[in-house]
């Protein structure tokens, strides 16, 4: 499938909201988990998370992610990517020990069910690399899921992205904090 991958800018808010949907983890989180810690996260409502994402998309200095569109213009995926400093939970997490201080971080993917297993995540990673590069990044990192090492993984736990997709995009394994979490890095 040929996909058109674009930054999530203010004119694309409706498409971001469509990919997040109205049910399930993406609609409740709206890619705020890594941007908030402790009580900020646990006390915030799904509506507050969505409002924060809308503010990041519509008013932020940098697009907070990438959208993929199918040939008909339907949004089929989202990937959150931003400088490490935008993600307080990443900075504090043991899963991210060894991360580069000035790296851009890919924190999550959202691919609605009808569009999974069609290469959307791979295209989103390439778009995330382009976005980061266009804003001066020299390093992009992620905390991927090693599906074979983890065994059976619920689809909800694949939001970080499968290791195989990162490796196909030229990322290298840096360290493992568990059999299933793998810190990966790509030098731009």
């Amino acid at each position: 499938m040929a996909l058109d991958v674009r930054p999530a800018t203010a004119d694309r808010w409706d498409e971001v909201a469509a990919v997040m949907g109205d049910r399930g983890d993406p609609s409740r989180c709206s890619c705020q988990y890594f941007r908030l810690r402790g009580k900020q996260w646990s006390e915030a409502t799904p509506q507050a998370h969505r409002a924060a994402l809308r503010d990041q998309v519509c008013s932020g200095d940098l697009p907070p992610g990438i959208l993929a569109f199918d040939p008909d213009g339907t949004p089929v995926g989202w990937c959150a990517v931003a400088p490490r400093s935008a993600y307080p939970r990443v900075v504090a997490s043991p899963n991210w020990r060894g991360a580069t201080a000035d790296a851009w971080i890919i924190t999550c993917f959202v691919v609605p069910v009808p569009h999974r297993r069609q290469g959307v995540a791979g295209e989103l990673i390439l778009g995330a690399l382009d976005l980061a590069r266009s804003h001066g990044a020299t390093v992009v990192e992620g905390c991927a899921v090693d599906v074979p090492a983890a065994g059976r993984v619920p689809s909800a736990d694949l939001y970080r992205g499968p290791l195989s997709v990162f490796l196909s995009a030229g990322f290298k394994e840096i360290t493992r904090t568990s059999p299933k979490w793998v810190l990966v890095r790509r030098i731009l």
Side-chain angles (χ1 to χ4, degrees):
M1 175 189 317
L3 298 177
D4 183 16
V5 180
R6 302 180 213 156
T9 53
D11 59 321
R12 298 189 182 107
W13 166 249
D14 289 341
E15 288 86 355
V16 172
V19 170
M20 294 298 160
D22 296 323
R23 316 178 350 200
D25 292 340
S27 70
R28 289 188 294 273
C29 177
S30 293
C31 283
Q32 299 307 298
Y33 180 75
F34 290 100
R35 290 180 178 268
L36 303 171
R37 290 189 62 208
K39 285 185 177 186
Q40 279 185 313
W41 167 256
S42 61
E43 293 178 356
T45 65
Q47 295 79 13
H49 293 157
R50 181 153 302 211
L53 179 59
R54 182 182 173 105
D55 187 54
Q56 292 153 13
V57 169
C58 295
S59 304
D61 294 334
L62 300 170
I66 295 293
L67 284 166
F69 297 85
D70 72 9
D72 295 328
T74 302
V76 296
W78 156 268
C79 175
V81 60
R84 186 173 189 260
S85 60
Y87 299 120
R89 191 177 294 263
V90 167
V91 172
S93 172
N95 287 333
W96 293 86
R97 286 201 180 111
T100 305
D102 64 346
W104 276 53
I105 306 293
I106 294 173
T107 57
C108 66
F109 296 84
V110 177
V111 179
V113 173
H115 308 289
R116 293 181 184 164
R117 299 183 183 269
Q118 298 176 33
V120 175
E123 292 298 317
L124 286 165
I125 285 181
L126 298 177
L129 292 171
D130 288 344
L131 177 66
R133 188 181 296 112
S134 73
H135 288 282
T138 57
V139 177
V140 177
E141 296 175 342
C143 189
V145 180
D146 186 344
V147 176
R152 186 172 167 91
V153 178
S155 61
D157 288 349
L158 290 175
Y159 70 92
R160 294 175 186 241
L163 176 61
S164 60
V165 175
F166 280 96
L167 296 177
S168 293
F171 285 75
K172 304 292 182 210
E173 182 176 328
I174 301 305
T175 188
R176 288 178 181 253
T177 57
S178 75
K180 90 177 190 180
W181 301 126
V182 183
L183 181 65
V184 293
R185 178 178 297 142
R186 165 104 186 250
I187 305 298
L188 300 178

